[in-house]
Amino acid sequence: MGRSSRPQGSLSPTLTPPGSYGTALRQAACPGCGCWSGRVHGSYLRFPRDLPTAGKLVVVSLRVRRFVCLEGSCPRKTFAEQVPGLTRRFGRRTERLRSTLVSVALALAGRAGARMADAFGVRVSRNTLLRLITSLPDPPAATPRVVGVDEYAQHKGRIYGTVLVDVETRRPVDLLPDREADTLAAWLAERPEVEIICRDRALFYAEGATRGAPQALQVADRRHLWHNLGEAAEKCVYRHRGCLRPTPAPLEEPQLAPEATELSPWPTGHRFAERTRAKHATVHALLAAGHSKRSIARQLGMGLTTVLRFSRATEPEQLFTGQWQSRPTKLDAYKSHLDQRWQEGCTNAWKLWEEIKELGYPDGYGNVRAYVSRNLRGRPQPVGPRPPSARAVARWILTHPDALPEGDQLQLKAVLAGCSSLESLASHVRAFADMLTQLRGEQLPKWIASAVATDLPSFQRFARHLERDLDAVTAGLSHPWNSGVVEGHVNRIKMLKRQMFGRAGFELLRKRVLLAK
């Protein structure tokens, strides 16, 4: 067996090996029936590529013998010998080069892996690397004692799968093509050794775990519990956003003369007002010149009824009554809310429209934008510091007091002092945080009863949802197990999907997740 070294750039060189060598074994086993044969039928040369050496492309020159199978019942008449650890059937690369390319493909996938392989002198396409991953056998099946279950997105918003992780070894165990209860139940039923299941509070995972592993202890993940608590707290703070700052005193507006308001409801420079004044002056000028009303209508292109109405008005302001701007609209019932929110500092027309939409406003965004532009945009804002947002106050409540900056502590203290509901919310959040960090799950029923008795609807709903999965939540607040390692693998799956540029089908993605180190 010999080697031929060539410059790095020659990817398909013409080989002139100094010598070809073969194996020293006298016999070989038939891959069909397994019988050994020493009868040589013939030989031929193989040139598998090997890892580059010192920047040079290396090709192995190997003489391979073909043996005659002596077993009459075997469908094979002849077979070629293989060198263990060096060649395989129809392989054009040595096993050492193949394993190196597989490692590159598992780490970097197609395009990036092809660029890396080209950097150390092996030119290979991205599709070849992906095919190498697909051809790998599945890893040995492992049955974890503590398994973590969570979902991942194959196509966000449309297709989701399930990842299962051994929480003790922190290694992925399997990927499921969907997040249905039946699929998870079938997977767990084949593994009765599972003792603990860490999951979120999704109904399909709860049902699948109950049916597939009734003997296992189900543990609700504490991170998901804290996240759900934060969402409920933010909704409660938003509902009491009026307490975040005292209502400012009404601004004194200059009093307009009532005569001017009555005589000129439209300001000077208004398009409709100026056009009406010009037509009124023209009609009365023609009347003073002796023209008849029909003649004026023909000259100005106006209807006779309109000319009569202009002629009877002594002042143009008398024609402004009953116009479209004074008619009742669907927005009238919500203008007081818009004015109040404007004074509170909310100057976003889209946000104001969303708020009154929740209060029952049936119309579109354009009317709200027009009202804000005409009536509120020029109104001065109240003097004073801007109130904190609902999200900021919720973050202050959810943060440990020792980790909160002094300025935020003072603002939170002022907010809680002005609203008893938010003070109750903060006390319940602190009690839940104590249960979560100190693993005091036995206090959960008492906490739920206290939360349901509050006047915070969002918090009441959160507490009632905990009652539906009480055993798993209690176990999550009593045992150290959690799904944090599963969340890490979900983020890793996102990275692997991005690497494969849309080629991340389920089978290929499963191989990379389970086989990558």
Side-chain angles (χ1 to χ4, degrees):
M1 182 170 57
R3 292 188 178 186
S4 176
S5 299
R6 285 165 182 77
Q8 183 176 355
S10 56
L11 297 178
S12 56
T14 303
L15 296 175
T16 54
S20 300
Y21 302 92
T23 61
L25 297 177
R26 294 182 177 272
Q27 293 181 332
C30 175
C33 62
C35 295
W36 289 83
S37 173
R39 181 180 173 183
V40 179
H41 179 271
S43 65
Y44 63 95
L45 287 176
R46 294 181 64 179
F47 304 102
R49 295 173 58 184
D50 197 12
L51 279 175
T53 300
K56 303 295 184 179
L57 184 65
V58 175
V59 178
V60 178
S61 177
L62 177 66
R63 181 168 294 279
V64 179
R65 294 169 295 178
R66 179 171 288 276
F67 290 86
V68 177
C69 183
L70 303 178
E71 180 64 32
S73 60
C74 181
R76 295 176 180 270
K77 300 304 180 182
T78 63
F79 62 91
E81 65 175 336
Q82 303 295 334
V83 181
L86 181 64
T87 63
R88 65 171 56 193
R89 292 188 67 202
F90 309 113
R92 297 187 177 185
R93 303 179 184 88
T94 63
E95 291 297 292
R96 186 171 64 165
L97 176 58
R98 179 186 175 88
S99 62
T100 301
L101 293 178
V102 166
S103 300
V104 171
L106 289 175
L108 300 175
R111 293 179 184 272
R115 291 194 294 268
M116 177 58 69
D118 188 60
F120 58 77
V122 179
R123 184 166 299 177
V124 65
S125 70
R126 65 180 188 274
N127 295 327
T128 300
L129 293 178
L130 296 181
R131 283 196 296 270
L132 287 175
I133 298 176
T134 306
S135 65
L136 294 175
D138 289 343
T143 302
R145 187 179 71 90
V146 184
V147 62
V149 182
D150 204 353
E151 64 182 10
Y152 71 93
Q154 295 184 19
H155 296 281
K156 188 172 182 180
R158 295 190 297 167
I159 303 175
Y160 287 86
T162 300
V163 56
L164 300 109
V165 179
D166 187 339
V167 177
E168 292 181 311
T169 62
R170 309 180 72 85
R171 291 292 303 166
V173 177
D174 205 349
L175 256 67
L176 304 181
D178 54 46
R179 54 178 180 180
E180 300 296 330
D182 295 337
T183 307
L184 178 61
W187 190 90
L188 292 173
E190 298 175 357
R191 296 162 177 82
E193 298 84 357
V194 174
E195 300 178 6
I196 300 174
I197 301 175
C198 300
R199 59 171 179 82
D200 57 18
R201 294 189 298 123
L203 294 178
F204 41 84
Y205 286 148
E207 181 183 352
T210 302
R211 286 163 38 194
Q215 79 285 352
L217 173 66
Q218 299 184 36
V219 178
D221 182 49
R222 292 190 294 275
R223 191 198 73 85
H224 287 90
L225 293 174
W226 186 252
H227 178 71
N228 298 146
L229 177 74
E231 291 179 339
E234 184 175 347
K235 292 178 181 178
C236 293
V237 176
Y238 183 78
R239 187 179 182 88
H240 294 82
R241 61 187 179 276
C243 302
L244 302 184
R245 184 182 64 186
T247 304
L251 299 174
E252 296 183 359
E253 298 181 357
Q255 298 294 331
L256 298 177
E259 297 79 10
T261 303
E262 295 176 0
L263 296 178
S264 182
W266 291 23
T268 302
H270 193 282
R271 182 178 58 184
F272 179 82
E274 295 300 327
R275 186 170 66 244
T276 304
R277 291 188 178 101
K279 289 183 178 180
H280 181 272
T282 304
V283 169
H284 280 266
L286 292 174
L287 288 174
H291 293 269
S292 65
K293 295 180 179 61
R294 292 185 181 274
S295 175
I296 295 174
R298 288 192 300 269
Q299 294 181 47
L300 300 181
M302 300 166 59
L304 180 60
T305 304
T306 305
V307 174
L308 292 175
R309 186 162 54 86
F310 272 83
S311 64
R312 291 167 186 162
T314 57
E315 297 291 338
E317 284 75 10
Q318 296 176 3
L319 301 169
F320 295 163
T321 58
Q323 297 301 320
W324 60 270
Q325 84 284 0
S326 61
R327 297 174 184 173
T329 64
K330 299 176 182 179
L331 190 63
D332 292 343
Y334 307 94
K335 288 181 178 179
S336 59
H337 176 83
L338 297 177
D339 296 344
Q340 178 184 354
R341 293 290 291 127
W342 185 270
Q343 290 299 320
E344 292 176 359
C346 182
T347 59
N348 189 318
W350 185 271
K351 182 67 174 177
L352 294 174
W353 173 70
E354 289 181 337
E355 292 181 6
I356 64 174
K357 193 75 174 177
E358 295 180 358
L359 298 176
Y361 177 62
D363 216 335
Y365 163 69
N367 293 335
V368 178
R369 180 184 59 186
Y371 177 77
V372 169
S373 300
R374 289 197 307 264
N375 301 82
L376 300 180
R377 190 65 68 186
R379 188 175 298 181
Q381 293 294 310
V383 180
R386 184 175 182 178
S389 64
R391 177 169 296 183
V393 175
R395 177 174 56 82
W396 297 341
I397 294 175
L398 293 168
T399 304
H400 193 281
D402 296 340
L404 202 61
E406 183 178 359
D408 294 344
Q409 291 183 14
L410 295 177
Q411 293 189 69
L412 177 60
K413 184 177 180 180
V415 169
L416 300 183
C419 184
S420 58
S421 298
L422 295 183
E423 176 64 33
S424 174
L425 170 66
S427 63
H428 281 85
V429 169
R430 287 192 292 267
F432 193 90
D434 182 72
M435 284 192 302
L436 188 143
T437 55
Q438 303 301 323
L439 300 180
R440 298 172 179 171
E442 69 279 359
Q443 301 178 2
L444 182 62
K446 180 180 177 181
W447 184 90
I448 291 177
S450 176
V452 171
T454 61
D455 59 344
L456 303 170
S458 300
F459 226 60
Q460 293 174 355
R461 288 193 294 270
F462 170 73
R464 291 194 181 98
H465 286 164
L466 295 182
E467 288 181 326
R468 300 177 183 177
D469 200 14
L470 184 60
D471 294 339
V473 175
T474 303
L477 297 177
S478 305
H479 295 80
W481 305 107
N482 64 81
S483 301
V485 61
V486 189
E487 294 293 335
H489 280 284
V490 171
N491 288 333
R492 176 168 164 263
I493 289 174
K494 295 178 183 178
M495 182 268 294
L496 295 179
K497 289 174 79 285
R498 285 192 294 268
Q499 280 186 343
M500 287 189 280
F501 292 94
R503 294 285 297 275
F506 174 73
E507 292 298 332
L508 181 60
L509 182 63
R510 182 174 179 272
K511 295 282 187 180
R512 289 202 66 194
V513 171
L514 299 182
L515 295 174
K517 301 298 183 180

